[in-house]
C-alpha cells in the first residue's frame, strides 16, 4: 500500500493527527524526490558506475574510496591519478592497474564486451594523454574504440587517409591543442556527432587551451560540440552514451 | 488557513475522499512545489511578489502580464521599462506609474509602510538611474531608504559628511562605475553588510562595468558582496532581505 | 542507382566511351568528392540537405539560392532570416514560410515523418528564439521534439516536474543565458547526451553569452558538450544525428 | 566645555592669537575625523576584532602580531596559515590551534556562545577548505553554523533533501568552483540572503575561479551577492553581520 | 583674505558672536572641507576650476550648470560636448564657444596668460580629437602648448625632426591608438615626464584602445605614465600640474 | 650633385660660411632623414605610393587628399571608403572608381603590368570583402592574383581541388573568420609563405575575430604569419613585397 | 598507361567486375591524394627537412627520433631542448651540438652554404634566446643572417644606426617583449617584409607576451605580420622562405 | 669646440678632403644622433645614470656590469636583485649594499643631497616592497621622500590623518593592490600629480594586478597617471622628474 494513501487513511481514521500529517506532506516534495525517483536514475541500471577524479585527493581518502567502491561495484575507474597514488592504492587493492600515459588508475575484474564503434582522433603526439583518457574511459564503459592519432591538419593527408574509417563509426572524438582545427575538418568529413576536446598543449598565445577551445566552439562544420579543455574523460563518456544509443544500449 | 492543513481536515471531515486527497498529494512533489510551497515561499508570506523584467518583452505580452498580476496580486513591479512600454501598459492599466530615471513601471495601490532603514549611495550623477532602481525596489518591498548620491571617492569629504547616517542603517548599497572604489571606503566606515553594484558608467578601460566589478570583488574591506553590473534591482532586493531580518521581518 | 556504378555500367555497355569515363573519374578526386561522395554523405542519403545562413546575405543572392535549392532539393532551411528577407524570398518562391521567433525561413513541401524523440529545454522566455531555432531545425530533419521551456534553475521545481519526460528522450538540448546552470542540473538528471547552448541573453557581466559558455564548458555533470553562443541550429542538428543513431537512422 | 568654543573664546579673550587659532581650524577637518569619529567605528563595540591574513607574512613578524593581539584582545583569528606558520606561532603562543583544512590559525580562550543560524553549503569535496574557512570564521564571531557539504547541482537530489534546513537559517553561504551553479539553485529555494563564493577548484576553462565568479554574478535568482574567489573568510564575516542583524546583535 | 582668518578676526572684533563662530566651525569638519579647504585646494587658488563632463547630461541640467558656473567662476570648461549641446547652452549663455574637433564647449572671458611649455604629440590624424582635448584643456588652465601631430612611429623621421622641440618643454603628452608605440620612443628621447594617452582609434585587435593601453603600460622607457583611453582632458590636466610645478606655479 | 657634397664644396670655396654650413648640418640629423633618406625609401623607387585609410575621414579633407595625391602621384589607393565618400571624391576627381565589395576607392590611370603570382584564399562568402581588399591592393601594386574563394575547411575537398594552383604561387593569403583553420591547412600544403588574415565574420564566441586570430597565431603549420583582423590591405601589401622579391622586384 | 584508363578498359573488357571498379573509385578521392600528390609536397625537394620540438618529449623517444632522422636525413634540427636532453641525445649521437641560449640541439654534418640575407633584430638582451632560435633556424636552412640585437625603441638611436644594414636584406625578423614597438619602427624604415615575434619577456601587464602580440598585430606600419609568442623558430622558417624566393631558391 | 664646426673648418682649411667630410656627414643622421645628441640626453647632465634590471641576469654578466658601471659612473642602482645576486656582486664589489625588502642592490659612494619632496603612499604592508623600490629609487636620484605606508582606503581615517603632509609635496606616488582605490582618494585630496602603481598583491580575481590597474586607469579623480604593475622603480623615476622640475632641477 502506498505511503500517501496510508497516511491519509490514518488521518481519516484519527490514528494520525492532522498536524502530524501536515508535517509529513510539507517535507514530501523533497524527501520523495530524494529517496525514490532521483536517486536511482544514475545507478547500476544506467551502466555508468561512479568515477573518481583522483587529482588532489589525499592518500588515505583515496584508498578508502577505492576499497569501498571495489566492494560495492566490483570495479573502479579513476582519472588523473599520479604514479604515487597508484602505489598508494595498490598497497590496499592489489589488482588495480595504472597507465602512466592516460593517468587512469583502474580496477576491472573480468572482461568487458566492447560494442559498437567510436573513433578517437588527436592532432599531435602531445595530445595522446588526453586521447588515451578518452579511449580508455570509453572502453571501460564497453565501447569499441579505434585510435587515430597524430593526424593534425597541417599535414592533412594523414587525416584524409582515414576517412573511410571515420565514416564507419557512431561517434568521433576530435582532440587538439594549439589551433584546434582538427574538429572542423573531421566535422566536414563525417555524418555522425563529433565531440571536440581542446587540449592545453601549446605555448605562447595558446593560453592553456583557450585558443583551441574558441576555435572548436566557432567551428563552421555541423555536428560538433565541445567539452572542457583536456577533458578526455568527458568526451569518452559522452561518446559512450551516443554509441549505446546507436547499438540499442 | 494552509492548503495542506485544509485538505487533511477535509479528509478527516469526510468532505474530501482519500483518493482525491491522494491524487493531490501525489502531484505534490512537483505541483505542490510549484503552486504551494515554493511559489508561496517567495509569495505573499515572504512579501516578495513576482517582479517583471520589462526590457525586450513584446507589447502585447507585457500588457497581459501586468493585467494578470494586477488582478492576482494587486500590485506589480517592473524594471527596465521604456517610455513606450509605459504608454502601452497604461492603455490597459490606468493607474500604473512610470519613473523615467529608474525606468521602473509600477502598479502600487494603497500605501506601503516603510520599515527599518537602508542607505543607497552612488558615486556620481550618472549612476543615479541604477541607484533609483535599487531605492525604489527596496521601497516597493517596504524598506525605508535614505539616498546618499554623488559621493564618489575622488571628493572624499562628501562621503565623510554622511558617515553618521551610514552607521545608523541596517544595510548599505554602494553603487559606482569607473573605478568603483566607493564600496571599499564605505565598507571601512560601517559595520553592516554592504551590497556593491558596479555600473556600466564610464568610457575607455571601464569595459562596460567590468573594471568596477573587479574593483569591488577585490575590495580589502570586510562585509562587502557584489551583484551584477547595473543590477540595482538585485541590490534593492537583497538589502530588503537583510533589513527584514534586522526588523524581525 | 549509384552514379559510379551507373557510369561503370555504361562503359561496360558501351553507351559511354572509356575516354569519357576517364575524364569523369580524373575529375573525380575532387569533383567526385564534391558532387558525389562528400556531397552525398551530407546529401539526400544522410537526410541533411544544405542549410542557408541568411543573416547578412544580399537580397538578390538569397533569392537565387532559395530558388535553386527549391528546384534541386525540393526543400530549403534558412536560419537567422529577417522579416525583410522573408518578403524578398516570398516574392520569388510563394510557398516559403517564416517564423519571426526562430527567424527560420523555410520551404518544406509535404509532410516529414518525425521519429524518435529529443527534448529542447530553455531557462527563460528570452531564450525561446534560440530554443525554437533548435526545435524547428530538428523537426525539419525529421526528429520528434518535446519543448520544455522556461525551466531555469532559480525555480528548480519547474524543471523537476519534467524529469520523467527528460528521462525518456534520446538527447536533451539545454539552452540558457545569464548563469547558464541549466545544463549541469539536467546532466545530473538524465543518462542521455546533453547538448548545451549558451545564449547571449543577459546584461552586465554576461558578456554576450561568454559567461554562460564558460559555465557550461565547466559543468561537473557527465555527458554534456557545448556549441557556440546562440547556435540553436547547431544543437538541433547534432541532436538529430544522435536521435537518428538511436532510432537506427 | 567644547574645544571649538574654548578656542574661539580664547581668541576673543586675546589669550590665543588669530594666527594660532587659524592653524588649528585649518587642521581640524581631518584631525577631528581621525581621533574621534572614524577611529572608533570598527573597534570592540562592533564585535569584530582584527583578523590576520597570514599568507606571505614573515615568521618573526607573525609571531609579534599574534603575541601582541593575544595580549590586547585575548583572541586571534588568522587565515591562510601554513603548517610551518603554525609551528612558528605555537613556539611563542602555546595554546594557538591550527586546522590544516581551513588553514585557520586561531587563539580562542574560553567558549563563544553561538547564536542565530546560517548554513554553509559547498558543491564538492574539493571546495571544503573554502567552506571550512567560512564556517570557522562565522563560528569565531559567534554564529551558529550548519554545514551542508557536497551538494553540487549535477546531483540535485542531494541539495533538495536539505531544503527545509536551508529555509530555516538567516543566511546561506553557497560555495562552488567549476560551473558555480549552486548559488542560483539555492537562491531559488530560500528567502534569505545568499552569499556566493566562487572557488578556484577546477581545470581547463575554469580559469582559476573566473568562470564560477561569472556564473554567480550572472545568477537569475534574487537575493544573491558574490565575494572574491576562495574568499571563505569574507563570506563568513558577512554572513555573521546578517545573522547578528537577525538575532538583534 | 582667508575665510577662517576673517571669522576669527570678527570674533575678536566682536562683530561675530562666539556661538555663531562655533556653529561655523562645528560644521567645518565636512562643510569646511567642502566649501573651504577641499573646494579651494582645487578652486581659485589652485587655478583648476571645476570642469563639466558634458556627455550624457540632459539639456536643462547642462544649461543650469553652465549658467551657475559662469556666474560663480566667470569661466566654464566642458568636455565631450555634442553640437546639439552647444546650441542648447548658447541659447542661455551667448558667449560660449565650441570646437567640434575637441568637442570642448567653453566659456572663457578675457585672455589667459600662457606660461611654461608642454608638447602634445599624436601619432595619426585620427588621434587629433583627443590631442586637441588635451591641448585646449592645458591652454584653458594657462599652459603654453606646442602641438606635434601626425608623428607616428611607422615614419620615425617625422618624430625625430621634432626632437629639439620635445627636449625643450616641461612635459610631453603622447597620444596614440593602434599599436601605441609613440610613448616609448618619445620616452627615450626626452628627460621630462611623458603622459601617455591610448586612443580608441583602430580596428580589429585594437579592442577599443586596450591594445594601445597595454603597449603604453608596458613601455620599457623611463618616465612614462598612462591615463585612460581617449582621456585627453586628464592628460592636459596632469601636464598642467607638472608645468606649474616647473614654472613655480 | 649631392647636397652634402655641394655645401662642403661651397665651404671650401668660401661661397658659404662655416657658420651657415654648421647650421645646416646641425639640422641635418633630422631634416636630412626626413627629406632625403627615409622619405625616399618608401617613395616612388619602392613602388609603394602612399595609401589612404578613408574610414572616418571628413569629406572635405578626403577630397583634398585625393586631389593632391592625384596631382603628385597620378594614382591613389583608398581603403574602407563608403559609397558616400565615393560620391564626394568623384565630384572633384571624375575618373575615380569604387568597388562596393572591397570598399576600395581608387584612381588608377593607365594599365599596371601584373607580375609573378599570389593566391588569395578565403573560407566563406562572408569573407569576400576582406579577400577583395587584399586582392585589389596586390593588383594595384602590380601583383598577379588568383582568387580562391569559399574554400573553408569544413568542406575540405573544395580546398584540396586547388592544391596544384596553391603550390604554384609565390605567396598565399589565407582569410577566414569563425574558427580560422584555413591557414593551418594551407600552410601544410604549400612551401611558400602564408599570410593569414582573421576576419570579424562570425557570431557568438567569435569575439569580433579574436578567436580566428588566436587560431591562426597558434597554427602548428610552418610558414604562417598573421596580420590584424580584417586587414586585407596589409596582407595584400606584404604579399606584394614577397612577390616582388621572388620576381626580382 | 594511366590507372584510371586501365581499370575502365578492364571493366569494358570484363576482366574487372563493375563492383570491383566501383570499390576502387569510391576509395580514390582520398587514396590518390595521400600517396601521390600531397605527401611529397614537403619533402627533400622543398629543402625543409622535418624539425623536432624537443620540449616535453621523453628521453628514450627523443633518442630514437634523433638517431632515425640522422640516418635518413643526415641532419637534425631540434628546438626548445634542455641541457639534460642534450646529454641524453649525445650519448647515442656523438656529434650532436647544443646551444644553451637558443636551446637548439642540432646535428649538422658538413657545411651549409649561406645565401641571400636577412636581419634578426631584438629589443633587449632578454629577447636574445628567441632571437638566436630565429637566427640559428634560418642558418640551418641556409640563410645568411645578420644579428642586430638590443635595439629597443626606448633608445631609438641604436636602431637608427643600423638603418642602412636593415635596408639591404630580403627580410627582417623583429623580436620584442614588453611593449613590442620594435616591429612598427622597423616596418617604417624598410621596404621588405618584417616578421614580428612577440616574446614573453616582461612583467606586470605584459601578460606573458600578449601585450606585445597585440602591439604588433595592431602595427600601423605596412609589411608586418606576426607569429606566436616566443616562436623564434617560426620566424626563422618564414624568413628563410622569403629569402629563398628572393635568391631564386 | 663643436665637432661639426671643427670638420667644416678643416674642410675650408683643406686638412680634410670634401670626400672625407661627405662620408662623415652622410653617416651623421644616425651617428651624430647616437654619439652626441641622443646619447647625452640621458647621461650625466640629466642626472639619471643607467639602472640595472637584475632579475634573470646571469651571475657573471651581472658582476661585469656592476664593476664596469662602478668604474665609469662611481655608482650603480640595480632593481629586482635576489639575495644570491647580492652575494655574487659583493664578491667583486665590496661596498655594494642590498635591501631584501625593495630588492635594490646599490653602490652609492658619498652622500647624495636630497631635494624637494615627494610622498610615497601604499595601501597595505604587502605593498611595502614596491613602495620601497619607489622610495629608494627616488632617493638614489636625489629626491627627498616621505613614506606614508599602510593607508588603504578600507580604513580611510589613516589616510586622512596625513592630508596636510600629502598637500605639501611636489608629487605623490600611490601604490595599491587588490582593489587599488588608493589613487582616486589621494587624487581628490591633493593638487599635485599622482603616479599610481598597481601591485600584484591579492588573490582570486585580482588577476596578478590587472584589477588594480584597471581601477587606477579608470579613476574619476584628476591628475592621476598609471605605471606598470609592481613598477615601483618607474614611479620613483617619474616622481623624481617632476620633483626636479619643481625645484628648478
Amino acid at each position: 500500500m502506498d505511503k500517501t494513501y496510508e497516511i491519509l487513511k490514518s488521518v481519516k481514521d484519527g490514528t494520525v493527527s492532522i498536524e502530524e500529517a501536515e508535517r509529513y506532506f510539507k517535507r514530501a516534495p523533497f524527501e520523495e524526490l530524494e529517496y525514490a525517483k532521483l536517486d536511482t536514475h544514475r545507478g547500476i541500471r544506467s551502466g555508468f558506475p561512479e568515477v573518481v577524479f583522483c587529482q588532489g585527493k589525499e592518500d588515505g581518502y583515496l584508498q578508502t574510496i577505492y576499497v569501498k567502491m571495489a566492494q560495492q561495484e566490483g570495479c573502479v575507474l579513476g582519472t588523473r591519478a599520479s604514479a604515487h597514488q597508484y602505489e598508494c592504492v595498490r598497497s590496499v587493492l592489489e589488482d588495480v592497474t595504472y597507465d602512466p600515459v592516460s593517468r587512469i588508475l583502474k580496477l576491472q575484474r573480468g572482461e568487458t564486451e566492447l560494442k559498437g564503434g567510436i573513433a578517437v582522433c588527436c592532432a599531435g603526439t602531445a595530445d595522446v594523454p588526453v586521447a588515451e583518457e578518452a579511449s580508455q574511459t570509453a572502453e571501460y564503459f564497453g565501447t569499441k574504440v579505434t585510435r587515430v592519432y597524430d593526424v593534425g591538419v597541417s599535414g592533412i593527408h594523414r587525416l584524409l587517409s582515414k576517412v573511410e574509417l571515420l565514416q564507419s563509426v557512431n561517434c568521433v572524438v576530435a582532440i587538439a591543442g594549439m589551433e584546434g582545427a582538427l574538429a572542423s575538418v573531421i566535422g566536414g568529413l563525417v555524418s555522425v556527432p563529433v565531440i571536440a576536446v581542446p587540449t592545453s598543449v601549446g605555448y605562447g598565445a595558446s593560453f592553456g587551451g583557450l585558443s583551441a577551445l574558441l576555435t572548436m566552439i566557432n567551428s563552421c562544420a555541423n555536428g560538433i560540440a565541445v567539452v572542457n579543455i583536456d577533458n578526455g574523460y568527458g568526451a569518452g563518456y559522452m561518446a559512450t552514451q551516443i554509441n549505446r544509443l546507436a547499438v540499442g544500449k
Side-chain angles (χ1 to χ4, degrees), chain A residues 2 21 28 34 38 43 66-67 103 106 117 128-129 132 150 161 175 225:
Chain A
D2 185 274
E34 180 174 15
L38 291 176
Y66 267 79
V67 168
R103 295 170 57 205
K106 195 173 60 175
V128 167
E132 275 304 307
D150 202 13
S161 70
I175 298 166

Side-chain angles (χ1 to χ4, degrees), chain A residues 137-148:
Chain A
T137 294
E139 287 170 346
Y140 178 80
F141 290 137
T143 305
K144 194 166 173 185
V145 177
T146 306
R147 287 157 172 83
V148 183

Side-chain angles (χ1 to χ4, degrees), chain A residues 176-211:
Chain A
M178 298 300 287
E179 96 261 47
L182 183 63
S184 288
V185 177
I186 292 178
L189 293 173
V190 305
S191 65
V192 294
V194 176
I195 316 291
V197 191
T199 72
S200 56
V201 168
Y203 65 90
S206 72
F207 300 125
L210 177 57
S211 293

Side-chain angles (χ1 to χ4, degrees), chain A residues 4-79:
Chain A
T4 301
Y5 185 87
E6 191 176 353
I7 288 176
L8 287 171
K9 196 154 171 301
S10 307
V11 168
K12 194 168 175 68
D13 297 348
T15 56
V16 162
S17 73
I18 291 178
E19 287 72 19
E20 275 177 287
E22 191 185 8
R23 259 200 308 282
Y24 170 82
F25 287 115
K26 287 270 172 146
R27 279 194 333 260
F30 303 114
E31 289 213 357
E32 178 163 346
L33 272 172
E34 180 174 15
Y35 297 113
K37 194 159 197 172
L38 291 176
D39 208 18
T40 54
H41 87 90
R42 152 193 245 177
I44 286 138
R45 269 181 317 162
S46 76
F48 288 104
E50 197 77 22
V51 168
V52 186
F53 186 81
C54 298
Q55 192 174 297
K57 291 222 161 48
E58 277 183 292
D59 291 359
Y61 186 48
L62 201 66
Q63 289 174 325
T64 310
I65 292 176
Y66 267 79
V67 168
K68 201 168 144 199
M69 289 184 69
Q71 287 163 353
Q72 282 174 9
E73 317 245 9
C75 62
V76 198
L77 179 71
T79 61

